[in-house]
Amino acid sequence: MLVMRKLMSDLTILHVNDMHSNFHSLKTQTNFMRARRKELEELGHTVWAVDLGDLIDRVHPLVEAKNGQIASAILNQQKIDFVTLGNNEGTAYTPEELEGAYKEKEFKVIISNVKWQSTGETPPYATEIQFEKIDQCSIAILGLTASYPESYEPNGYWIEDPLKTLDRLVPRLASEGHQIILLSHLGIDLDTLIAESYPEIKVILGAHTHHLFKEGKRVNQTLLTGGFKYGAYIGELHLKTEKEKLIPLEESMIEVETLKEDSATDEGKIYLEEGIKLLKENIVLRQIPDYSVRDLAQLSLEAMIRQTGIPIAFTYTGLFVHELMKGALTKFDLHDCMPHPIHLNKSQFSVKNFKQLLRVFEEQQPELLEKAIRGYGFRGKLFGEILYTGFSKKGEEIIVDGKVLGDDEIITFVCPDHMRFVPFFPMIEEKGINQILYPDLLRTIIEKELIFKERNYHD
């Protein structure tokens, strides 16, 4: 009896992106994805579920309490098949921490442009390329994340420019007859450029810039998707295989709020409460005095200098969301006061440029005192007052340790890395020689300083 090979098949990709620990509709999202997968599989479809990165954000107490390991639990529950890294995963966790976060995974992590510095290889929990076959159609799945070498490299990774990665991989994969799908945490502009430049890529599942394409977007021969943010939508992409070819058909976006039985119910409350409980149970010190917001800012200056050995430091009061009260100090107190995934940044300037930077600080200060800001790692409310230590000014002169510095001399200072990236002080990036200091976050630095002060007090 002659057996005919199947020539056509249906493939459906369910995809989500940029949750950023917004779990308010997580139960509904998970239930829908599991039920929809079952429904489609019963119709004969091959179904893949994909997360496109930035699932977790350390601003969430449970994410912090479990050091990111909640990510695997959520993705396993949703029956996710493939994941790529967002910058929140890659820059907020060390290589070893992220390996731990994925220890219990039941899915494949695909990242094509990130390597461990210690080995020069793709992280051990991930693969550079994932190969799948549906009947006669061989599919190569790539994963690319936005390139921030200033953050990745001090954190123990090598990150490759995504276009160089594609130049390296796409010609070979295409010549071998693979159909290519890209899981992209690059953003709409790069996705569009890639679609224009690499016709071999059939589909780009997009994230990072929180763009929304309710029915997808065709750029030449490539179908682009975009699923907004915070779990607001689930994407459903239909494709078919025809012999060796993969053909994108149609994309739709399902609004998660319309699926909820009660739109007022916060399905993430249980995760929030568990995280707060765990952090409150972790006692750092049995007793501390009161610290006002300004006290904490001053303490941060002391901590930066002592822990980095850099004699000049800047900070600002908005980093501290509220005061620390007299009594026991817990991990929750530190996290609630400083929820940001912010590190320190070391910067070297000529004294001439340093003087100009100080003028920028002075010019911006009145507006920044009450300016509401968000992003670039900041999870507070207002920017607040800029404070510094380690030098003095006399007219236009900069004095360090009693010595007037010449304009051509080099001055080194440390500040929160947020100051480097916000649009108010572009000089830091443009004129400075900069290095982000890993692994400690601001709250870890403050925790260490409070422990140091307590030990010294009792000594």
Side-chain angles (χ1 to χ4, degrees):
M1 181 180 175
L2 186 65
V3 178
M4 298 294 291
R5 295 180 69 187
K6 191 175 178 185
L7 300 181
M8 294 181 63
S9 288
D10 293 306
L11 168 64
T12 300
I13 301 176
L14 302 173
H15 56 95
V16 291
N17 61 278
D18 293 287
M19 285 279 287
H20 292 280
S21 291
N22 285 269
F23 301 145
H24 53 276
S25 299
L26 183 60
K27 182 181 178 182
T28 296
Q29 183 192 72
T30 300
N31 288 345
F32 175 84
M33 292 179 73
R34 290 171 65 100
R36 185 62 175 149
R37 172 192 283 272
K38 184 173 184 292
E39 180 183 8
L40 288 164
E41 286 176 343
E42 288 174 352
L43 293 172
H45 290 230
T46 297
V47 181
W48 297 341
V50 174
D51 182 276
L52 297 164
D54 277 5
L55 168 67
I56 53 175
D57 189 314
R58 294 185 73 154
V59 70
H60 194 285
L62 188 58
V63 173
E64 180 73 359
K66 296 205 168 185
N67 207 23
Q69 293 180 19
I70 188 179
S72 285
I74 290 171
L75 295 169
N76 290 344
Q77 185 68 19
Q78 292 184 331
K79 292 189 175 295
I80 295 290
D81 298 287
F82 307 121
V83 168
T84 197
L85 299 183
N87 45 287
N88 265 26
E89 286 90 11
T91 64
Y93 295 95
T94 66
E96 294 76 19
E97 286 173 334
L98 200 53
E99 183 179 24
Y102 288 134
K103 187 176 180 181
E104 304 297 326
K105 69 181 177 66
E106 298 170 4
F107 48 86
K108 302 285 188 182
V109 179
I110 307 167
I111 187 65
S112 309
N113 67 323
V114 173
K115 312 289 184 188
W116 275 18
Q117 286 182 10
S118 59
T119 63
E121 303 291 336
T122 299
Y125 53 80
T127 185
E128 183 180 52
I129 308 167
Q130 179 68 26
F131 293 100
E132 298 289 329
K133 193 157 188 178
I134 301 175
D135 301 323
Q136 298 176 49
C137 181
S138 178
I139 302 170
I141 309 172
L142 304 178
L144 293 174
T145 195
S147 179
Y148 297 114
E150 67 276 6
S151 295
Y152 275 93
E153 293 183 4
N155 196 23
Y157 298 98
W158 293 119
I159 186 159
E160 185 176 37
D161 180 283
L163 298 181
K164 290 183 179 179
T165 304
L166 294 175
D167 286 342
R168 179 168 56 83
L169 297 178
V170 167
R172 173 172 66 84
L173 292 171
S175 69
E176 293 171 355
H178 304 290
Q179 305 291 285
I180 302 171
I181 292 175
L182 174 60
L183 312 185
S184 168
H185 198 89
L186 300 175
I188 186 172
D189 291 341
L190 263 179
D191 287 356
T192 302
L193 177 62
I194 289 167
E196 292 169 346
S197 306
Y198 301 89
E200 303 91 340
I201 298 175
K202 303 300 180 184
V203 171
I204 300 175
L205 295 161
H208 184 49
T209 46
H210 305 168
H211 51 289
L212 176 63
F213 297 143
K214 287 194 173 182
E215 297 178 349
K217 179 182 179 182
R218 297 269 180 179
V219 177
N220 298 332
Q221 70 300 311
T222 305
L223 181 62
L224 275 59
T225 75
F228 196 50
K229 62 180 179 179
Y230 302 164
Y233 291 90
I234 299 166
E236 182 169 314
L237 174 62
H238 291 277
L239 310 95
K240 71 174 180 179
T241 64
E242 191 170 286
K243 296 185 179 179
E244 294 85 6
K245 298 296 183 184
L246 180 67
I247 303 168
L249 298 176
E250 62 179 357
E251 161 80 344
S252 60
M253 280 288 162
I254 300 120
E255 191 170 358
V256 175
E257 283 297 313
T258 65
L259 305 172
K260 293 178 76 170
E261 293 179 5
D262 180 2
S263 60
T265 300
D266 181 0
E267 298 170 359
K269 186 177 179 182
I270 186 171
Y271 297 100
L272 181 65
E273 291 174 345
E274 182 185 355
I276 291 172
K277 179 176 179 291
L278 289 171
L279 290 176
K280 283 186 173 181
E281 288 171 351
N282 195 332
I283 297 173
V284 176
L285 288 168
R286 293 292 174 185
Q287 186 72 24
I288 63 166
D290 287 328
Y291 282 91
S292 69
V293 165
R294 190 177 176 85
D295 291 337
L296 289 168
Q298 292 287 357
L299 180 70
S300 73
L301 293 174
E302 297 172 24
M304 290 183 211
I305 289 172
R306 192 184 68 80
Q307 294 179 38
T308 67
I310 299 168
I312 296 172
F314 290 88
T315 194
Y316 50 101
T317 55
L319 287 168
F320 307 95
V321 177
H322 57 71
E323 70 277 9
L324 292 178
M325 304 298 290
K326 181 179 179 180
L329 177 73
T330 68
K331 289 282 190 179
F332 174 75
D333 298 320
L334 291 163
H335 183 268
D336 198 49
C337 176
M338 295 159 277
H340 342 274
I342 285 177
H343 296 85
L344 300 185
N345 184 75
K346 174 185 176 182
S347 194
Q348 291 182 307
F349 267 66
S350 71
V351 171
K352 180 180 179 180
N353 286 332
F354 184 75
K355 291 176 181 178
Q356 187 179 346
L357 179 63
L358 293 180
R359 287 193 288 270
V360 171
F361 287 164
E362 291 167 359
E363 290 166 2
Q364 296 275 9
Q365 181 62 96
E367 180 184 356
L368 292 176
L369 272 174
E370 299 295 329
K371 188 172 184 65
I373 58 170
R374 184 78 178 173
Y376 305 96
F378 186 77
R379 302 293 186 265
K381 298 173 182 175
L382 305 176
F383 191 92
E385 181 184 1
I386 300 171
L387 304 176
Y388 64 84
T389 191
F391 70 96
S392 60
K393 285 182 64 183
K394 187 176 181 181
E396 283 296 302
E397 294 178 337
I398 303 296
I399 302 167
V400 177
D401 292 333
K403 177 190 172 187
V404 176
L405 301 184
D407 280 355
D408 293 333
E409 293 188 66
I410 299 298
I411 195 166
T412 303
F413 65 89
V414 62
C415 66
D417 64 7
H418 182 241
M419 294 183 78
R420 173 180 169 184
F421 299 122
V422 290
F424 316 125
F425 320 122
M427 270 195 73
I428 296 179
E429 183 68 21
E430 294 168 2
K431 300 292 186 180
I433 299 173
N434 295 291
Q435 179 188 355
I436 297 177
L437 304 179
Y438 276 85
D440 287 347
L441 295 173
L442 174 68
R443 57 180 168 268
T444 310
I445 290 161
I446 294 297
E447 176 184 342
K448 287 181 175 180
E449 199 64 18
L450 289 168
I451 292 171
F452 173 78
K453 291 175 77 73
E454 177 66 13
R455 286 176 179 168
N456 273 10
Y457 176 78
H458 287 294
D459 289 347

